[in-house]
């Protein structure tokens, strides 16, 4: 029996809701740097902040894992031996190593700049794919890459003159975060084909969470997380719920309604939202150089995405 026809009005409402989910997820993801900078101003250590974020998110992913395991007969049989070890290692790379590098970088650079640097990680995905994973080079994406890095160079130059302290270290750390996350994406794709995206995410995130909590216990003492003050706990809750769990569900809801391609078009809202919130909440500067640099980065990554999709279709 065929489905009843959908009116134009109901289709419009459906699409509007899907875009609302996607935009909401992008905006919430973009607030991560804001909360990290606020926590640093409060004197919270990087290890403690990352551990709190993971401790908040862990129970959620544990419940999801149990639900998926019950609904997917035989999945636990696949999740053993090297498959389990590889999933845990890849999860550590993407959710722990990359996150820690990003958190550490935010000690030195602004939330706006960090978001823009991370925003260019698809370039690393492409380069790593061509160099190590047998992907085909699409030369049509090069103009977008050049434009984006020109935008980063504009903001980097402003920082070099106005706020140079820690700029090179912060940029290197955030770039390393983008690079390791790009490598994670290639490796994760292979594991997801075996056990599925949901189970992979739960196992990878749980492994990273345990590693982050263990690191904090080693560096700051076993009882450190239990003794944090209310402000620190609040930042951890915000990072775990508002910047990790909730936006992941919103983005997935957006994808289910409007598709992955349409959802990806809302990603450019993230750096803009970060800039606006950083100026209002953190008092970060936003000059004509920031405006030009941000516009160039977003324009470049947009051109890059279009060229890459065209190459995939024609290639």
């Amino acid at each position: 029996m065929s489905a009843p026809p959908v009116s134009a009005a109901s289709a419009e409402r459906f699409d509007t809701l899907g875009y609302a989910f996607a935009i909401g997820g992008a905006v919430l993801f973009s607030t991560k740097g804001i909360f990290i900078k606020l926590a640093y101003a409060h004197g919270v250590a990087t290890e403690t902040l990352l551990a709190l974020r993971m401790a908040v998110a862990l129970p959620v992913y544990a419940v999801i894992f149990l639900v998926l395991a019950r609904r997917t007969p035989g999945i636990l049989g696949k999740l053993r031996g090297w498959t389990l070890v590889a999933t845990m290692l890849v999860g550590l790379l993407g959710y722990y190593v990359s996150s820690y590098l990003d958190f550490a970088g935010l000690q030195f650079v602004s939330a706006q700049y960090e978001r823009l640097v991370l925003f260019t990680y698809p370039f690393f995905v492409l380069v790593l794919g061509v160099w190590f994973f047998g992907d085909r080079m699409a030369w049509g994406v090069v103009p977008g890459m050049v434009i984006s890095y020109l935008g980063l160079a504009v903001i980097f130059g402003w920082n070099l003159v106005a706020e140079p302290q820690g700029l090179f270290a912060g940029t290197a750390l955030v770039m390393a975060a983008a690079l390791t996350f790009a490598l994670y994406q290639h490796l994760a794709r292979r594991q997801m084909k075996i056990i599925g995206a949901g189970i992979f995410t739960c196992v990878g995130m749980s492994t990273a969470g345990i590693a982050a909590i263990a690191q904090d216990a080693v560096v700051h003492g076993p009882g450190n997380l239990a003794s944090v003050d209310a402000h620190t706990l609040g930042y951890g809750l915000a990072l775990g719920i508002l910047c990790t769990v909730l936006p992941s569900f919103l983005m997935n809801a957006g994808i289910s309604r409007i598709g992955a391609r349409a959802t990806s078009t809302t990603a450019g809202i993230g750096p803009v939202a970060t800039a606006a919130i950083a100026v209002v909440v953190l008092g970060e500067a936003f000059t004509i150089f920031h405006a030009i640099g941000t516009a160039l980065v977003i324009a470049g990554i947009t051109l890059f995405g279009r060229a890459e999709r065209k190459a995939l279709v024609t290639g």
Side-chain angles (χ1 to χ4, degrees), residues 46-290:
T46 300
E47 297 82 10
T48 301
L49 197 57
L50 181 58
L52 282 172
R53 178 199 189 192
M54 292 299 194
V56 171
L58 260 177
V60 177
Y61 288 104
V63 170
I64 295 173
F65 175 83
L66 293 174
V67 171
L68 290 176
R70 292 189 61 181
R71 292 183 178 180
T72 314
I75 191 63
L76 295 182
K78 296 180 180 179
L79 192 63
R80 61 176 59 182
W82 171 245
T83 298
L84 176 60
V85 172
T87 299
M88 294 171 68
L89 291 175
V90 174
L92 280 173
L93 177 67
Y95 298 126
Y96 171 65
V97 175
S98 182
S99 293
Y100 185 77
L101 290 168
D102 183 36
F103 275 50
L106 276 164
Q107 294 181 92
F108 305 102
V109 298
S110 69
Q112 299 175 67
Y113 182 66
E114 176 263 356
R115 177 53 49 182
L116 290 173
V117 173
L118 284 183
F119 196 56
T120 64
Y121 87 89
F123 303 159
F124 291 115
V125 175
L126 172 67
V127 172
L128 289 174
V130 172
W131 285 356
F132 301 110
F133 297 97
D135 292 349
R136 180 181 175 185
M137 179 62 187
W139 293 103
V141 305
V142 173
M145 297 172 68
V146 172
I147 291 171
S148 282
Y149 280 117
L150 180 61
L152 285 179
V154 170
I155 301 178
F156 182 89
W158 181 88
N159 281 312
L160 194 60
V161 173
E163 300 173 355
Q165 187 174 5
L167 178 60
F168 287 95
T171 300
L173 286 166
V174 180
M175 280 285 189
L179 178 61
T180 51
F181 188 73
L183 177 59
Y184 153 81
Q185 289 220 324
H186 280 289
L187 299 175
R189 191 178 307 155
R190 286 153 173 78
Q191 295 305 115
M192 288 179 186
K193 289 179 180 179
I194 301 173
I195 59 175
I199 291 290
F200 169 81
T201 301
C202 292
V203 173
M205 180 65 77
S206 299
T207 305
I210 293 171
I213 293 170
Q215 181 190 26
D216 181 72
V218 170
V219 175
H220 301 288
N224 182 56
L225 291 185
S227 63
V228 298
D229 59 30
H231 281 93
T232 302
L233 180 60
Y235 294 131
L237 289 170
L239 285 169
I241 297 174
L242 295 180
C243 307
T244 304
V245 175
L246 185 56
S248 68
F249 283 112
L250 286 173
M251 294 296 284
N252 287 336
I255 291 172
S256 70
R257 286 179 173 271
I258 61 177
R261 180 174 297 183
T263 300
S264 68
T265 63
T266 66
I269 295 171
V272 176
T274 300
I277 299 171
V279 171
V280 174
V281 176
L282 301 177
E284 290 185 359
F286 190 82
T287 66
I288 185 63
F289 299 102
H290 291 84

Side-chain angles (χ1 to χ4, degrees), residues 8-24 254 257-258:
S10 63
E12 183 179 355
R13 285 196 298 271
F14 179 86
D15 287 346
T16 300
L17 187 58
Y19 276 101
F21 285 146
I23 291 171
R257 286 179 173 271
I258 61 177

